[in-house]
Amino acid sequence: MSHTAPPTGPSTAAQSAASWSDWIGDHTAALIGIPLRIALIVVVLLVLRAVAKRAITRVVQRVLEPSAGESESSRPRRSNRGAAVLHRDRSRARQRREQRARTIGSVLSSAVTIVLFMVGVAMVLDQVGIALGPLLASAGVVGLAIGFGAQSLVADYLSGLLIMIEDQYGVGDSVDLGEAVGEVEHVGLRLTHVRDLNGGLWHIRNGEILRVRNDSQEWARAVLDVAVAYDADLDTVHRVLEDTGRALRQDPDFADVLLEDPAVWGVQSLDADGVLVRLAVKTVPLQQWGVTRELRRRVKEALDAAGIDIPFPQRTVWVRTDAEEPAGADALTR
């Protein structure tokens, strides 16, 4: 039994070279075209990401830049009606604006990066020849399961983003979020931290905040209800309250705190113990409580000087003596 040796020599080398050249010619598109297309996809996505980040930065800075009212002098503008302008500490307002800009810009940049990354992966897989149909179906099922499990987390992040974009409140504001009432110490995309009057720190999920009362925006109002006796002259009471409010407005310590002259709104109610007269004035945010305390002290002194009594609860007690005992009482006891 004989074995035939494979042919060797120049003819075999020529055939091998021809086969390699044919293989390279047949796979030129795969060896050169696909990598080039993938590289082109990556370059285009990187350029789009850079352009999007630059556009986001410009838009956020333009939206959050200080308005004309904030760039002016911080001293309140005065008028007979009391201009309702934004009276905040300028450094704190600038810090809030910078914080919002950084947070919103970071969130939008991350969202753009994730979207472009997903698009790029899909395009690269399509160039390699991997079918996207099964992958998209699997991703849809997984995304649906994650959506059901993390819907509260998504709601927290969306609510936090809207809170920052709309500037509902910020660090340093005095807010009422329902059970949590106090000063905001931190605003994040998921949680808001509020320090209450007793020093307790509340951690509130942004998705659970249904309503917000912010006492630190635009302006505030100090309201003082003064009770006087029924026999007091209301015209005199009105004059005393006006003079007290005017004196407070002229006080240098309160000149920049009050935005208008205190106004007497008139009789608020007729209570069992006296007549309730209301005095109100617009103030700088977060200063209404101090103004109310000072008004209460000055009003008390002014009413005492004018001889106007502040009523106190009245109680009448009837005491029956032995002389008033019924005549038939002795007969009944016998």
Side-chain angles (χ1 to χ4, degrees), residues 60-61 63-65 70 88 92-108 160-171 187 189 217:
V60 171
Q61 290 179 351
V63 171
L64 301 181
E65 65 184 1
E70 293 184 38
R88 292 179 180 168
R92 191 179 69 181
R94 184 169 56 254
Q95 292 175 359
R96 283 183 54 176
R97 190 163 50 247
E98 292 176 355
Q99 179 189 17
R100 291 170 57 210
R102 288 195 301 267
T103 304
I104 296 172
S106 176
V107 172
L108 295 179
L161 183 61
L162 290 177
I163 288 173
M164 292 185 180
I165 293 177
E166 298 173 357
D167 194 21
Q168 297 179 13
Y169 54 82
V171 175
V187 181
L189 288 177
Q217 290 182 344

Side-chain angles (χ1 to χ4, degrees), residues 171-194:
V171 175
D173 284 354
S174 179
V175 298
D176 181 354
L177 304 181
E179 294 186 9
V181 180
E183 182 178 349
V184 178
E185 290 195 350
H186 173 74
V187 181
L189 288 177
R190 193 176 73 88
L191 292 175
T192 294
H193 297 169
V194 176

